[in-house]
Amino acid sequence: MNFDFSGVLHGVLLGAGLYLFLRCVVGGFFTVDQNERAVKTAFGRAERLGPGLTNRTGPLSEGLARTDEERYDYPRLRVIPPGGPYFKWPWEKVHKVSVATRTLNMAQDPESPRANQGGKVLEAVTKDQLNTGLTGQIRYRVSEKNLYAFLFGVKQPIVHTMAYFVSILRERIANFEAPPHSPDEQRASQPAEAAVVSGVSINDLRKNMRDLNEHMDRECKGSEARYGIVLDASLITSIDPPNEVESALAAINTAHNHVSSEVSLAQASADQKIVQSRRAVEIETLRAQTEVEPLVALSSELALLKRSGPAALAGYVRNIRLGLYSKAQQVVLGVKNG
């Protein structure tokens, strides 16, 4: 039996060539979906946009404190946009990332699913030492401008981002004070605020939930430069105290509502009396003017008669006297002595 060594060698070379063709040429093409971005690395090094170009050169670092800019100084990468087919060599690796917006319960702990009551309620301590439960969601997406931080800078970026968000939120809850209102705003908002008591931290937080969400949006801008994740919105939906505090708080609110109702009634009664007093003054003023007006007209007429001559005034007095005589039944006349 003759062994054909050259034929085996040709077969091995042909198989190796076919494998390399499939591995390097056919397997080297890839595409990127519409909701994805990709970064290509060669021997573990990601392709940069340019030498020395980092996230400190653009507006990306605006959300960072100056003391943190050097710590989170990541290079800018060349991002492969959606489309394709693209080609990569065997020594290159493609990292695809979904940039679609996602929502996450703010109480969820990616490392400990049982924490925060199974990821449903996030506890925080208010300024007056009350434990309160927060529920809501956060909306986030991966930053296309800082993929280095998301892919290579942080091992678990979503874990760091959640911890970053929770720390800012708890710090804000612990130091929150309701902003002072101007007198006009207080009068305008008095009916709406009658349902809750001002000065109690939980009530202040509930009334200013929108300000709290806006504050979180501002303070969490640094997450993009830190971890490559953009927090689009913080949606705190409810702030609830513990059950033992809820009953006491309800009693306080009820008493406050009763006092507010009594104050409103007293104020309405006072306003009504003021209006009635003003009306009475107007009526009496008109009545006095009615009585004074004929006297003023008579005075003017007598002045005109006096300027016409002494006989005119005496004749006017005589005519008035004759008119009175015609109406009187008896007349008593005085007699001058001498």
Side-chain angles (χ1 to χ4, degrees), residues 90-279:
W91 55 86
E92 293 179 333
K93 186 177 179 180
V94 177
H95 302 266
K96 296 181 181 179
V97 176
S98 174
V99 294
T101 301
R102 300 178 181 177
T103 58
L104 187 67
N105 193 319
M106 66 171 57
Q108 185 174 343
D109 189 340
E111 289 186 318
S112 302
R114 294 184 179 180
N116 300 329
Q117 302 181 20
K120 296 179 180 177
V121 179
L122 178 66
E123 293 186 352
V125 180
T126 62
K127 190 175 183 179
D128 47 4
Q129 308 300 318
L130 291 176
N131 284 330
T132 182
L134 306 172
T135 58
Q137 295 178 335
I138 60 173
R139 194 167 60 224
Y140 73 96
R141 58 182 171 84
V142 177
S143 173
E144 185 179 345
K145 301 177 182 177
N146 195 16
L147 284 180
Y148 187 94
F150 183 80
L151 291 173
F152 314 111
V154 185
K155 187 176 182 180
Q156 293 181 305
I158 188 61
V159 174
H160 288 268
T161 303
M162 288 299 298
Y164 178 66
F165 174 83
V166 170
S167 62
I168 293 177
L169 179 59
R170 282 177 171 164
E171 189 272 338
R172 181 58 175 169
I173 294 292
N175 298 287
F176 184 83
E177 290 183 356
H181 296 283
S182 64
D184 295 336
E185 291 177 344
Q186 287 180 351
R187 283 193 294 271
S189 60
Q190 185 174 3
E193 293 180 357
V196 292
V197 182
S198 298
V200 180
S201 58
I202 294 180
N203 287 335
D204 291 339
L205 287 169
R206 285 173 170 173
K207 288 189 300 181
N208 298 277
M209 197 176 297
R210 180 178 178 182
D211 295 339
L212 185 61
N213 285 323
E214 292 177 352
H215 173 82
M216 294 303 300
D217 293 342
R218 290 193 303 271
E219 295 297 323
C220 291
K221 282 185 176 179
S223 65
E224 184 177 8
R226 286 170 174 260
Y227 314 116
I229 292 180
V230 180
L231 290 175
D232 281 340
S234 166
L235 306 173
I236 301 173
T237 55
S238 67
I239 301 175
D240 300 318
N243 295 329
E244 60 272 17
V245 179
E246 181 71 32
S247 58
L249 193 61
I252 294 174
N253 289 336
T254 302
H256 178 266
N257 293 339
H258 178 71
V259 172
S260 298
S261 176
E262 294 295 332
V263 170
S264 298
L265 290 175
Q267 186 175 2
S269 177
D271 293 341
Q272 186 178 7
K273 288 182 179 178
I274 290 173
V275 172
Q276 291 177 348
S277 300
R278 289 177 179 171
R279 184 61 179 166

